Amino acid sequence: MPTDFLGRVMVVFQRYGMSMLQGAGVSLKIAIVGTIVGCLIGFAVGLVQTIPMEEKDSLAKKIVLHVFKFILNVYVEFFRGTPMMAQAMFIYFGLFPLMGINPTMTQAAYFILSINTGAYMAETVRGGILSVDPGQTEGAKAIGMTHVQTMIYVILPQALRNIMPQIGNNLIINIKDSCVLSVIGVAELLYKTKAAAGALYMNFETYTITMIMYFIMTFACSRLLRWVENRMDGADNYDLATTDTLAHTSGMYSYDDKNKKKEEE
C-alpha cells in the first residue's frame, strides 16, 4: 500500500472507481429526471396559484379555486418545510406500504425528488409570473386573449427566462442532495462511497474522489445551463421588419443603421 496521499487515492480509484462512477451516473440521472418532472409540477402549481379571481366569477368557481389553492399551499409549505431525508423515509417506508404501492428504490427516488423539487419550483414560477410587468397582461386582455392564452403566449415565455437561473440552481442542488436518498437504499454516489471507504478504511482518500466527482457534475451542468441562458438572451442588436403597405414594398430597418445616420448628421 502506498504511503503518499495521491498513491492511496489511486489505489481507491483502481479498486472502486467503476463502482463510484456508476453511482455518479445514478445520482445524475435521478437529479435530471427529478428536476424536469419537478419543473413541470412547479409550473402547474404556479399557474393555478396565479389564477385571478374577479368579481364577475361565480361563487362555485371562487370556492373551487380557494380549495385548490389551499391544498397546493399546504403541499408547497410541507415539502419546503421538512427535510428531504425525512420525506424519503416517510414516503418509502410508511406511505407506500400503507397505500399498497411497491415501487423500486429508483422509482421511489424519482418520485421523492420530483415532488420535493416541485414544491420549490412552484414558488419560483409564481414569483417569475408576478415579475412580468402587469402591462403585458393588460395588453393581452385588451386584444381579447383569455387568461390561458395570455399565460401561454405572453407571460410564460418571459417568466421562463427570468427563472432559468433558479432552474439551474435546482438541478445543481438536486445532484448534491440526491445523496440523502441513500437512506432508502438507492445505490447513488454516496452509497458507493460509503461501501468503498468501509472496505478499505480510507475515508479521506475515498471522499476526496467523491467530492471531485460531484464537482465535475455540478460544474458541467452549471456551464451548460449558462450557455442555454445566453442563447435565450438573443442578440444584442436586432432588426425590425417593417412593411410599407402603400408602396407594397418591404424592408429591414436596422437600429445600428439609424444610430450611424444620427452620428453622421
Side-chain angles (χ1 to χ4, degrees):
M1 180 69 66
T3 56
D4 62 296
F5 174 72
L6 290 178
R8 293 165 68 86
V9 168
M10 290 305 300
V11 169
V12 174
F13 189 76
Q14 287 172 359
R15 296 187 183 181
Y16 290 94
M18 287 305 300
S19 176
M20 295 173 72
L21 286 172
Q22 290 174 355
V26 172
S27 294
L28 188 60
K29 184 168 64 173
I30 291 173
I32 292 173
V33 173
T35 302
I36 293 173
V37 178
C39 285
L40 295 177
I41 295 173
F43 270 99
V45 175
L47 285 172
V48 173
Q49 288 179 324
T50 55
I51 293 177
M53 284 188 290
E54 302 176 355
E55 294 182 0
K56 64 180 181 180
D57 292 336
S58 63
L59 179 62
K61 180 181 178 181
K62 291 180 179 179
I63 293 174
V64 171
L65 274 178
H66 272 300
V67 171
F68 266 101
K69 288 184 178 182
F70 174 77
I71 294 172
L72 293 177
N73 283 332
V74 171
Y75 156 69
V76 170
E77 295 301 328
F78 177 79
F79 281 96
R80 289 176 71 227
T82 55
M84 190 165 67
M85 182 180 291
Q87 296 168 15
M89 299 184 73
F90 172 78
I91 292 173
Y92 187 71
F93 295 116
L95 189 61
F96 281 164
L98 186 65
M99 298 177 65
I101 302 174
N102 187 30
T104 64
M105 287 180 290
T106 304
Q107 291 171 344
Y110 289 146
F111 177 79
I112 293 163
L113 195 61
S114 296
I115 59 175
N116 183 274
T117 304
Y120 285 94
M121 281 303 304
E123 288 298 287
T124 300
V125 171
R126 186 179 67 84
I129 291 173
L130 296 178
S131 70
V132 177
D133 191 282
Q136 301 285 321
T137 302
E138 294 170 2
K141 290 183 177 180
I143 61 175
M145 282 189 174
T146 64
H147 176 72
V148 175
Q149 290 174 327
T150 301
M151 282 293 165
I152 294 175
Y153 298 110
V154 179
I155 304 301
L156 284 183
Q158 299 178 68
L160 178 62
R161 175 60 189 88
N162 293 339
I163 67 176
M164 269 303 295
Q166 186 56 39
I167 293 176
N169 288 340
N170 282 334
L171 175 59
I172 292 171
I173 290 170
N174 285 341
I175 291 173
K176 297 182 294 182
D177 285 356
S178 62
C179 65
V180 305
L181 297 171
S182 62
V183 298
I184 62 173
V186 178
E188 43 72 55
L189 179 53
L190 189 65
Y191 186 94
K192 298 288 189 178
T193 301
K194 291 178 180 178
L200 297 176
Y201 297 100
M202 290 192 290
N203 290 294
F204 186 31
E205 294 83 357
T206 306
Y207 281 94
T208 298
I209 296 173
T210 300
M211 289 183 64
I212 292 172
M213 288 184 176
Y214 274 120
F215 175 76
I216 291 172
M217 289 190 292
T218 55
F219 183 79
C221 290
S222 176
R223 295 298 96 187
L224 178 61
L225 290 167
R226 185 68 58 84
W227 178 79
V228 173
E229 288 177 35
N230 292 335
R231 294 285 293 178
M232 292 181 70
D233 284 339
D236 293 334
N237 298 320
Y238 62 94
D239 292 329
L240 185 65
T242 60
T243 303
D244 187 349
T245 56
L246 295 177
H248 300 287
T249 60
S250 61
M252 298 297 292
Y253 187 81
S254 174
Y255 277 90
D256 288 341
D257 294 340
K258 179 182 177 182
N259 293 333
K260 290 179 181 177
K261 289 180 181 178
K262 285 185 175 179
E263 291 175 0
E264 291 174 356
E265 292 174 358

